[in-house]
Amino acid sequence: MAKASTGASEQREPARPLPAADAPFDAIGLSRMLMRSIRSGALATLDQDGTPFASLVTIATDQDGTPLMLLSRLSAHTRNLLADPRCSLLFSQGGKGDPLAHPRLTVVGEAVQTNEARARERFLARHPKAKLYADFPDFGFFALAAKAGHLNGGFAKAATLTREELLLDLTGAEAIAAGERGAVEHMNADHADALALYAAAATGGDAGLSWRLTGLDPEGMDLMAGERTARVVYPDRVTDMGGLRKSLVAMAAQARGGVGTVQT
C-alpha cells in the first residue's frame, strides 16, 4: 500500500547554516570584507523592558576587525548598551535588484566603551565629518567585542562564524600596528597614484577617482573615495613594515602591468 503524502503539511527541520570552515564558499573572507568595507549598519540593542530596539549607526573597524562606533549618550541605543551591553550589528552590502540577493553579516557580542587612541583615530579616518562632534562631552567610542557571526552571502549561501574567524590574530604583527599611522600618512601624501591602482584592481573600476588610505592591518588596506570604499587584501599576510613595503610595490607593479587583479 502506498504511503500517503503529507504534502505541504509535512513537518521539516529548519535549514541550519554551515560552520564557516565547512561552507562551499569563502565565508571568512566575505565576512571580513563586509566588516571592513561597510560604513553604516543596523545596531540592535535591548530596551529596559527587553524589547529589541534597532537603530542606524556609523561603523569603522580596529586593526583586528573589531567594529567601532561613535555614540551619543543621549541616544536610546547608548542608554540601552550602558544598561545591557548585549547587542548585534548588521553589515549589509546592498546594491541593485533584490536586497536579499546581496551579502550581509550579523555580528553579535557586547559593546564596551573604549578610550583607546587608535580607536578614535581609525574611526575618524573612516568618518572625517565626525570630527565636528567626536569631542562633545555626550559622545563616546564603543567597541563591539564580537562573540560570533552569521553570514548570509546571498541565496543558499549561509554560514556561522566564531570570534576567531571574524577577527584577525595580530600576534607577531605588532610592528604593523605601531607603524600604521606613519604608513597611512606617507601613502596618502606621496603615493596617491598607487592607491588608485589598488582600488581599481580591487573594485574593477577605473583609477581616476581620488582614493585615500584610511587604515591598514596585517591582511589588507582600507581605502575611501568620497562615500565609496574598497578593501584591498595583500597576496600574503605581512608582519612588519619591510614586508608591507615589498607587498605594496609588487601589487602596484602588477596593477600597472594589468596582470591579474588584487585579491579582495
Side-chain angles (χ1 to χ4, degrees):
M1 183 175 182
K3 182 179 179 181
S5 173
T6 56
S9 63
E10 183 181 45
Q11 295 297 315
R12 295 182 180 179
E13 296 244 343
R16 296 182 182 276
L18 293 170
D22 298 330
F25 64 101
D26 184 9
I28 295 175
L30 178 56
S31 295
R32 291 180 176 181
M33 184 278 292
L34 291 170
M35 291 173 67
R36 299 286 189 174
S37 60
I38 292 174
R39 299 174 62 237
S40 64
L43 172 67
T45 59
L46 292 172
D47 220 335
Q48 291 188 5
D49 63 359
T51 302
F53 181 89
S55 53
L56 181 67
V57 296
T58 48
I59 314 166
T61 55
D62 205 345
Q63 279 209 333
D64 65 353
T66 294
L68 302 171
M69 300 172 286
L70 176 61
L71 305 178
S72 169
R73 294 179 185 83
L74 302 179
S75 300
H77 52 235
T78 308
R79 295 196 298 271
N80 289 345
L81 291 175
L82 293 175
D84 186 339
R86 292 178 297 167
C87 62
S88 65
L89 191 55
L90 173 65
F91 298 80
S92 181
Q93 189 175 67
K96 295 181 179 179
D98 187 346
L100 297 181
H102 299 285
R104 58 270 189 197
L105 170 73
T106 298
V107 178
V108 299
E110 295 187 355
V112 294
Q113 193 159 1
T114 176
N115 294 316
E116 288 284 342
R118 189 176 69 236
R120 183 183 194 279
E121 184 175 303
R122 287 182 64 92
F123 186 93
L124 294 181
R126 204 63 166 165
H127 300 279
K129 293 180 181 179
K131 293 177 182 177
L132 296 173
Y133 52 84
D135 293 322
F136 287 3
D138 59 299
F139 276 85
F141 292 95
F142 286 75
L144 175 56
K147 291 185 176 180
H150 184 287
L151 171 69
N152 190 317
F155 290 120
K157 293 174 67 176
T160 57
L161 297 96
T162 65
R163 171 185 171 85
E164 291 73 24
E165 290 169 331
L166 286 170
L167 304 181
L168 287 180
D169 182 358
L170 301 180
T171 303
E174 291 79 7
I176 297 297
E180 178 188 20
R181 182 173 183 178
V184 168
E185 292 176 350
H186 171 66
M187 292 297 294
N188 284 332
D190 300 330
H191 298 288
D193 57 338
L195 295 178
L197 287 172
Y198 302 147
T203 62
D206 61 59
L209 294 175
S210 180
W211 291 91
R212 65 183 181 86
L213 181 61
T214 63
L216 54 85
D217 53 75
E219 190 173 71
M221 300 182 294
D222 301 315
L223 303 176
M224 277 186 59
E227 299 302 313
R228 296 185 61 181
T229 65
R231 174 64 175 174
V232 179
V233 178
Y234 317 131
D236 299 293
R237 175 184 169 94
V238 300
T239 57
D240 56 49
M241 301 310 289
L244 174 64
R245 282 190 290 272
K246 290 180 181 178
S247 185
L248 295 182
V249 169
M251 289 164 60
Q254 182 186 44
R256 288 191 178 96
V259 180
T261 58
V262 179
Q263 294 179 353
T264 58

